[in-house]
Amino acid sequence: MLVQQAIPSVDAVSGASAIALDFETASPSAGSICSVGLAWIVGGQVAQTAHCLVRPHDMRFDPWHVSIHGIQPHDVEFEPEFPLVWEELLPHLEATPLLLAHNAPFDIGVLRAALNHYDLAWPTLSYLCTVKIARAAWPDLPNHKLPTVAEHIGVALQHHAADSDAAACAGIALRAMTHAGSGDLMGLLPRFGIKPGRLEPGYHEACSSATERRSAFRRHRPPPWLR
């Protein structure tokens, strides 16, 4: 049974320092959202989670995707499409300084695709990818997939249940802060060489590591004889 948890009021999670976000999709189409999970960090802990089922715009469910998250067409047939969920979510993004996602290129890509499909404006927000945070904090792990990192730091996870994924993502950020001896997420970033991503109407800049930025600089640097 898929348990839903309503998105709380903004006042109920006032003072949140970050929101972790996870999407599940019905098909390879990036905007085919069928589930949204959220977790709020308040006072240095995961204070609240939410889970919303979403009716994809075309109701095309790919068998491989269903095998991953278990959500089927009949589960979402009478659920709202993304714009109604977005009406509830957007005020939280506007009130909170930071969005978190594990493998943010996927989740931010899904968000952008859904907003574009429904002709909704991109929000203005900063975001962090907890894969990059985990790579910096625990570089010796065999990989930095969500189950691997969650097991390493002792965070419970029901993988591909969107609310559980979001809560684990938030837990990774919090444990990385403790690991690095930082009192807040933004203070953690200079130690790890991570630059937040940025999304705003008509503009997107990905979250990046120092290694990625150096590589990009080298690729675009003129050859020695032109410097």
Side-chain angles (χ1 to χ4, degrees):
M1 181 177 178
L2 297 166
V3 178
Q4 299 204 69
Q5 298 172 273
I7 295 175
S9 69
V10 174
D11 288 344
V13 285
S14 63
S17 58
I19 301 173
L21 170 71
D22 181 79
F23 289 120
E24 300 296 330
T25 56
S27 74
S29 174
S32 63
I33 297 169
C34 62
S35 177
V36 180
L38 303 160
W40 284 260
I41 295 177
V42 182
Q45 62 182 356
V46 177
Q48 180 86 32
T49 60
H51 178 230
C52 303
L53 292 173
V54 181
R55 188 183 193 278
H57 56 82
D58 63 3
M59 284 295 284
R60 182 172 66 89
F61 277 72
D62 178 80
W64 185 78
H65 284 69
V66 172
S67 72
I68 290 174
H69 50 58
I71 300 170
Q72 302 189 52
H74 65 80
D75 294 315
V76 299
E77 183 178 1
F78 301 108
E79 299 300 335
E81 290 194 30
F82 181 70
L84 289 179
V85 177
W86 183 243
E87 285 182 12
E88 293 187 70
L89 176 55
L90 181 58
H92 286 276
L93 299 180
E94 293 174 335
T96 307
L98 200 57
L99 181 68
L100 305 174
H102 200 77
N103 189 22
F106 171 79
D107 293 288
I108 297 299
V110 168
L111 175 60
R112 291 165 59 198
L115 293 171
N116 289 343
H117 175 82
Y118 290 104
D119 198 25
L120 298 170
W122 292 4
T124 297
L125 56 85
S126 296
Y127 70 90
L128 291 175
C129 178
T130 52
V131 170
K132 298 184 190 303
I133 290 173
R135 284 174 179 157
W138 304 287
D140 295 330
L141 292 181
N143 62 66
H144 294 87
K145 297 177 181 179
L146 190 59
T148 302
V149 182
E151 181 178 8
H152 177 71
I153 63 177
V155 170
L157 174 66
Q158 183 183 347
H159 196 26
H160 294 299
D163 53 335
S164 181
D165 284 0
C169 171
I172 288 168
L174 291 169
R175 296 294 176 86
M177 286 167 50
T178 301
H179 179 76
S182 174
D184 62 80
L185 278 171
M186 296 308 290
L188 175 74
L189 302 186
R191 305 182 190 198
F192 287 167
I194 295 172
K195 181 180 179 183
R198 183 73 177 168
L199 187 66
E200 57 188 61
Y203 177 78
H204 174 233
E205 179 182 353
C207 176
S208 61
S209 66
T211 300
E212 290 167 332
R213 293 192 298 277
R214 284 194 296 268
S215 177
F217 175 78
R218 286 194 296 268
R219 287 198 304 270
H220 293 94
R221 194 177 186 190
W225 59 87
L226 291 180
R227 293 176 199 158

